[in-house]
Amino acid sequence: MTLSSSPINPSAGRCPIRPQVSLADLTTLNVGGRAQWFVAPQTIPELQAAYQWAREQALEITVLGAGSNLLISDRGLSGLVICTKYLRYIKADEQTGQLTTGAGQPLPKLAHHAAKLGWRGLEWIVGIPGTVGGAVVMNAGAHGGCTAEHLVSALVLEPDGGLSLLTGRELAYGYRHSCLQGTQRLVLQATWQLEPGHDPALVKADTQEHLNHRLSTQPYHLPNCGSVFRNPVGHAAGNLIERSGLKGYQIGQAQVAERHANFILNRGGAKALDVYQLIQHIQARVADRWAIILQPEVKMLGDFA
């Protein structure tokens, strides 16, 4: 089937599917090419309609949240990119102490919302520049906390268009891992179990302390994708990179951060290929020095050949 180059509307005029949309401004690294097709649904039915359209066209589907922890090729992405950043809502159940959130809900705003309620459990999430959907898929974690410890369930759109409600156990969580990775299953919302009844002022103070620590130890002054590598067992990736003499090392406009070596910065005008080659260089140097192969935590999408 020949695909039109004009916007397509699968859901009554509210959610057009657009061709050739630049993705660079939708990622925290500010790099990457164009999406062949792009849609940003504001409701779950709109998302389901777009998903169904892509399946009917036999198109590959890529999900984009806040665009953090992500490196998109300069050549862009084929198929349909579904951006979930407008699926934002928080519903609090005071009887159970549970928060139900849309997949596009930013994690820092979720942490601050819980703090205002006086509900403990998500103070650690405040410094992660991602969304709920990404946190569920990646088992996001910081400051000793992680998604797996607080997630009750996730509502997931299946490849056949059906909905599944998966528990934390069914998500098979591990370190920065879930069974959703590498699949076409799409997170729509999540329910978290928290501890209500605390003094909001104290929870707010603890949340702010976590944020201050994050801002003081990690480089947020320039575009970056967050931590680039997973921590090997018994080691900190940033420490291995620093001790390999790579702080400040630069390819093109991509640079290993001086403040924290497990971050790569876009110093202005960097290409995705610069970042990709820098990742490869870091892996080679650390492997040569320490006989350890660093595994990327950042998800790389598209063709980097």
Side-chain angles (χ1 to χ4, degrees):
M1 179 179 294
T2 300
L3 299 181
S4 168
S5 61
S6 301
I8 295 173
N9 196 329
S11 53
R14 298 185 58 192
C15 185
I17 294 176
R18 296 182 287 142
Q20 297 301 314
V21 173
S22 174
L23 298 173
D25 291 340
L26 298 173
T27 70
T28 59
L29 253 173
N30 294 159
V31 302
R34 294 178 177 272
Q36 180 185 5
W37 296 99
F38 177 87
V39 66
Q42 298 184 37
T43 67
I44 289 177
E46 288 178 354
L47 190 152
Q48 288 177 293
Y51 191 90
Q52 180 61 31
W53 176 82
R55 302 294 291 182
E56 291 172 354
Q57 305 296 327
L59 292 175
E60 184 176 355
I61 297 170
T62 301
V63 179
L64 180 68
S68 59
N69 199 40
L70 195 63
L71 177 62
I72 296 176
S73 165
D74 297 312
R75 300 180 182 183
L77 299 176
S78 59
L80 177 65
V81 174
I82 300 177
C83 181
T84 62
K85 68 177 182 178
Y86 296 120
L87 291 178
R88 299 183 180 187
Y89 53 85
I90 302 176
K91 301 175 183 177
D93 187 331
E94 296 185 0
Q95 292 185 336
T96 63
Q98 293 181 355
L99 289 181
T100 297
T101 60
Q105 185 66 39
L107 299 176
K109 290 188 176 182
L110 174 59
H112 287 302
H113 187 93
K116 289 178 182 179
L117 293 175
W119 293 15
R120 286 198 176 277
L122 293 178
E123 298 91 326
W124 56 274
I125 215 169
V126 69
I128 300 178
T131 60
V132 164
V136 171
V137 173
M138 293 295 296
N139 189 19
H143 305 290
C146 67
T147 300
E149 294 176 353
H150 301 281
L151 189 78
V152 176
S153 62
L155 183 65
V156 174
L157 180 62
E158 299 288 351
D160 64 2
L163 299 177
S164 296
L165 192 64
L166 304 180
T167 66
R169 181 180 297 275
E170 290 170 325
L171 288 167
Y173 276 132
Y175 175 65
R176 303 297 180 266
H177 175 80
S178 79
C179 68
L180 299 176
Q181 292 177 23
T183 74
Q184 290 286 289
R185 306 167 85 185
L186 197 158
V187 175
L188 302 179
Q189 71 177 29
T191 298
W192 310 77
Q193 182 63 60
L194 303 183
E195 302 174 9
H198 295 274
D199 183 347
L202 295 179
V203 184
K204 287 180 184 178
D206 290 344
T207 302
Q208 187 61 45
E209 184 178 347
H210 282 295
L211 180 58
N212 291 343
H213 179 267
R214 193 90 170 184
L215 294 175
S216 66
T217 59
Q218 298 183 1
Y220 287 106
H221 61 295
L222 288 173
N224 66 82
C225 61
S227 296
V228 175
F229 297 101
R230 301 169 187 260
N231 290 324
V233 176
H235 299 275
N239 183 51
L240 292 174
I241 297 168
E242 179 179 353
R243 293 172 66 189
S244 298
L246 289 172
K247 268 192 173 183
Y249 188 86
Q250 191 165 327
I251 293 179
Q253 290 300 307
Q255 182 186 52
V256 178
E258 295 279 2
R259 180 176 292 181
H260 193 309
N262 198 19
F263 283 69
I264 291 177
L265 306 179
N266 180 352
R267 298 198 58 81
K271 301 296 185 182
L273 186 59
D274 297 335
V275 179
Y276 180 76
Q277 291 178 338
L278 186 52
I279 288 173
Q280 290 187 311
H281 181 79
I282 293 168
Q283 288 176 309
R285 179 74 71 86
V286 170
D288 182 63
R289 177 76 184 272
W290 307 102
I292 294 174
I293 305 297
L294 291 179
Q295 299 299 322
E297 183 172 317
V298 59
K299 186 177 182 180
M300 290 177 273
L301 300 177
D303 182 9
F304 291 91

